[in-house]
Amino acid sequence: NHIPRPANAFMLFRSDFVKHRHKLGSLETNHCSLSKTIGNCWKQLKDEEKAVWYGKAKIEKAKHQEMYPEYRYRPSHRK
């Protein structure tokens, strides 16, 4: 019954990048290296381009709130 957190702007960007721009063999398949590459691409985006992703994240958050109105982020600290 775990409810996942809504995706933030970077996570939506990363997902889209992998889905549409990542061709097999063209980039690293190692997720660590891939994340670094995508992170660098994110940093190079202009503010106007990032605003699109922040808008999508806001929509995702609103949908999440509608689906799970009682949801509150409560991290569990594992020891």
Side-chain angles (χ1 to χ4, degrees):
N1 62 359
H2 171 73
I3 300 172
R5 292 174 68 185
N8 63 26
F10 176 73
M11 295 308 295
L12 292 172
F13 173 77
R14 186 188 190 288
S15 176
D16 182 71
F17 189 98
V18 170
K19 195 180 298 180
H20 293 107
R21 300 180 199 161
H22 180 244
K23 307 283 188 238
L24 289 176
S26 66
L27 286 175
E28 289 286 333
T29 54
N30 178 331
H31 285 282
C32 183
S33 299
L34 185 59
S35 287
K36 287 179 185 178
T37 301
I38 296 170
N40 288 332
C41 290
W42 174 256
K43 288 177 186 177
Q44 293 175 2
L45 286 180
K46 295 178 182 175
D47 289 341
E48 301 84 39
E49 294 169 319
K50 283 184 181 180
V52 172
W53 295 104
Y54 284 115
K56 290 180 181 187
K58 190 174 183 178
I59 292 168
E60 283 289 316
K61 187 174 182 178
K63 286 180 187 176
H64 189 274
Q65 180 66 33
E66 189 176 304
M67 289 174 58
Y68 309 104
E70 300 297 319
Y71 173 82
R72 297 292 176 261
Y73 176 62
R74 295 181 191 108
S76 61
H77 300 287
R78 297 179 193 160
K79 292 182 180 182

